[in-house]
Amino acid sequence: MTIPSSPAAALEGLPVPKLDRVDLVTVKLPFVAPFGTSVHVWTDKEAMLMRLESGGLTAWSECVSDPDPFYFYETNDTARHIIKDFLLPLVEPGIPLGELELRFRRVRGHGMAKATIENGLLILLALQQGAPLHKLLGFPAKKIMSGLSIGLKDTPADLLSAVERAVAKGYHRVKMKVKKGQDIEWVRAVRDRFPKVPLMVDANGDYSLSDLAHLRRLDDFGLMMIEQPLSYSDIYEHSLLQKEMKTAICLDESIHSPADAATAIALGACRIINVKQGRVGGLMESMRIAGFCAGRGVDVWSGGMDETGIGRAVNIHLQTADGFTLPGDTSETSNYFDEDIADPAVVLDAGGFIRIPEGPGLGVTVVAERILERAIRWERLG
Ligand code: OSB
Ligand code: MG
């Protein structure tokens, strides 16, 4: 199946800039609180950053993998390996970005590694043009909707106070993580206390079809959606589940490409897709998926990987693109970090919206001293 052309097509002709220097820098930032999911509890963010230098300009991008393969198969070490040994050698100055994408396609999967380079090149191109990234992508600035992802809590009281804080801040929707045995009653507690809050749950693949009767009980709570109830690798069984549930299913882990999105939609496996730009291979693939979904009445939102200020800014710019119709997992910096490596921090305005950082490229400043302070590994690649 061919995916119709989208604003990404305009980017395909842009020339790959000449790179004077490329570094991978891994930083470790403590989270303000542990982030619990059905698959793992993370206590800090170990982010592999790419620094690209070209003609006196410096672009930073962020690989959204974790050090572990509990959410996704890629890890910081596999991404480093794929970037260093397979992808970076394919980067040739002057070839069109579309040609580079074709070269990258020979490497199967490893979208997070690909996105790190492709996003870095797009940010560099935006800097060269003196334009904000969203403008290079082809979209005007707008206020970005906010959304909070609340991890598994030890007690319902802890969960209720997290939701209360989110509501007070004005977040446009609240997502709560669920897992087997920590679901119906916890959702009920939130619903009883906050009958109107736009609410959704994310199971990170913890259930199977044999839990159908149990999952159907979630239909009572007016949820916006249930994210990835079944296996990370499944599409088909989600289509069977969607037929049996009122609540919209949203796929996250299952969607790696425009073809996966097309399959999921054709099968009726979901009504909503979470596009994480890293998981699908970068900004251009994200725009293609969002554009494809928009033509088919499927809502899309930008997921997050509790990124540092670099990846967070990438997600913010991406959400100006056509098709991003729902609030994403885009929260204030302070939800994860006391001090981030980039300024300014993301904050919500009085209406719960996020302003796109101003200036060329990402519009954020990466603070060198903070990188040096937090770096646990630094490798020059070229
Ligand atoms: O499933 O969406 C997920 C974080 C890490 C790994 C997987 C997920 C998440 C989140 C948090 O839900 C998103 C964010 O706040 O950036
Ligand atoms: Mg998810």
Side-chain angles (χ1 to χ4, degrees), residues 2-157:
T2 49
I3 306 294
S5 78
S6 77
L11 303 174
E12 290 164 14
L14 295 174
V16 170
K18 180 178 177 306
L19 300 177
D20 301 325
R21 174 173 175 152
V22 181
D23 296 88
L24 286 179
V25 188
T26 307
V27 291
K28 192 166 171 169
L29 281 71
F31 281 151
V32 293
F35 184 67
T37 71
S38 67
V39 291
H40 191 55
V41 181
W42 286 275
T43 54
D44 43 49
K45 180 71 197 173
E46 206 173 300
M48 191 168 73
L49 309 174
M50 177 174 271
R51 182 181 180 279
L52 301 166
E53 229 181 80
S54 172
L57 296 169
T58 303
W60 288 87
S61 68
E62 175 169 348
C63 185
V64 303
S65 51
D66 286 312
D68 54 77
F70 303 137
Y71 163 75
F72 197 62
Y73 68 87
E74 293 183 81
T75 69
N76 291 346
D77 282 339
T78 70
R80 175 184 299 106
H81 165 53
I82 296 294
I83 288 171
K84 196 165 124 178
D85 298 332
F86 295 100
L87 298 176
L88 205 54
L90 300 175
V91 178
E92 186 182 333
I95 64 166
L97 273 183
E99 162 70 20
L100 184 64
E101 277 193 304
L102 290 177
R103 291 185 182 187
F104 278 7
R105 232 162 255 178
R106 184 153 173 243
V107 172
R108 296 180 177 187
H110 297 281
M112 293 177 176
K114 291 172 181 170
T116 308
I117 298 180
E118 184 185 281
N119 296 349
L121 294 174
L122 286 166
I123 295 162
L124 202 47
L125 286 162
L127 288 172
Q128 284 180 351
Q129 296 186 9
L133 179 63
H134 65 82
K135 190 150 174 256
L136 182 88
L137 300 181
F139 300 96
K142 64 174 193 184
K143 291 191 294 183
I144 303 303
M145 292 179 285
S146 64
L148 188 67
S149 176
I150 299 177
L152 295 172
K153 298 291 181 193
D154 291 338
T155 65

Side-chain angles (χ1 to χ4, degrees), residues 71 175 177 202 204 227-228 252-253 274 276 329:
Y71 163 75
K175 152 168 147 181
K177 294 287 188 180
D202 185 0
N204 288 108
E227 181 177 347
Q228 200 70 36
D252 170 357
E253 283 92 325
N274 164 341
K276 287 186 186 170
D329 275 342

